[in-house]
């Protein structure tokens, strides 16, 4: 069964690269470049994992993470937060709001692929 990954990020270069990497690895990919688009994509794409940037044009990714976990997303949706901030407080905030994993940009493609595979398989 093909797993669907929702990427929520406004950086088109990053989303294009992630989409290519994930599709080449056998995943289906849905894209959203804002929090509002992400909420709309949840019902349409029914993702197995969401990658959410902490900084979005219409709201912060932390708020979106919390919203996705409080009713507009499936129960237990694994969320991998993406950020360019490496402060420990950012990591703690993400986990306190229900994120499953956290990765700082720039990241190694093999590392993020491994994390996504683990989340998609339910091993996280």
């Amino acid at each position: 069964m093909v797993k669907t990954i929702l990427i929520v990020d406004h950086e088109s270069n990053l989303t294009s690269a992630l989409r290519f990497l994930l599709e080449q690895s056998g995943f289906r990919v849905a894209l959203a470049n804002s929090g509002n688009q992400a909420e709309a994509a949840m019902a349409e794409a029914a993702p197995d994992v969401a990658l959410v940037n902490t900084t979005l044009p219409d709201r912060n990714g932390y708020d979106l993470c919390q919203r996705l976990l409080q009713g507009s997303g499936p129960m237990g949706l694994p969320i991998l937060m993406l950020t360019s901030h490496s402060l420990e407080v950012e990591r703690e905030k993400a986990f306190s709001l229900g994120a499953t994993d956290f990765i700082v940009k720039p990241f190694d493609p093999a590392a993020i692929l491994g994390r996504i595979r683990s989340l998609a398989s339910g091993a996280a």
Side-chain angles (χ1 to χ4, degrees), residues 3-99:
K3 301 285 184 166
T4 300
I5 311 301
L6 172 62
I7 302 171
V8 186
D9 199 313
H10 62 285
E11 298 176 28
S12 61
N13 290 339
L14 177 70
T15 56
S16 294
L18 282 172
R19 180 182 210 162
F20 178 80
L21 175 69
L22 294 171
E23 287 178 344
Q24 292 299 308
S25 299
F27 292 101
R28 181 178 301 121
V29 176
L31 299 175
N33 63 21
S34 70
N36 290 337
Q37 283 185 4
E39 288 192 65
M42 287 300 294
E44 190 175 313
D48 298 289
V49 176
L51 278 64
V52 178
N53 190 336
T54 59
T55 306
L56 298 170
D58 59 347
R59 68 176 93 166
N60 73 55
Y62 299 110
D63 291 341
L64 178 62
C65 173
Q66 197 169 27
R67 179 128 169 102
L68 294 178
L69 294 171
Q70 291 179 344
S72 63
M75 292 294 289
L77 174 69
I79 297 179
L80 173 59
M81 298 296 291
L82 305 171
T83 185
S84 56
H85 308 287
S86 61
L87 300 173
E88 184 60 29
V89 68
E90 298 288 327
R91 179 183 306 274
E92 290 173 12
K93 183 176 182 179
F95 288 131
S96 73
L97 294 173

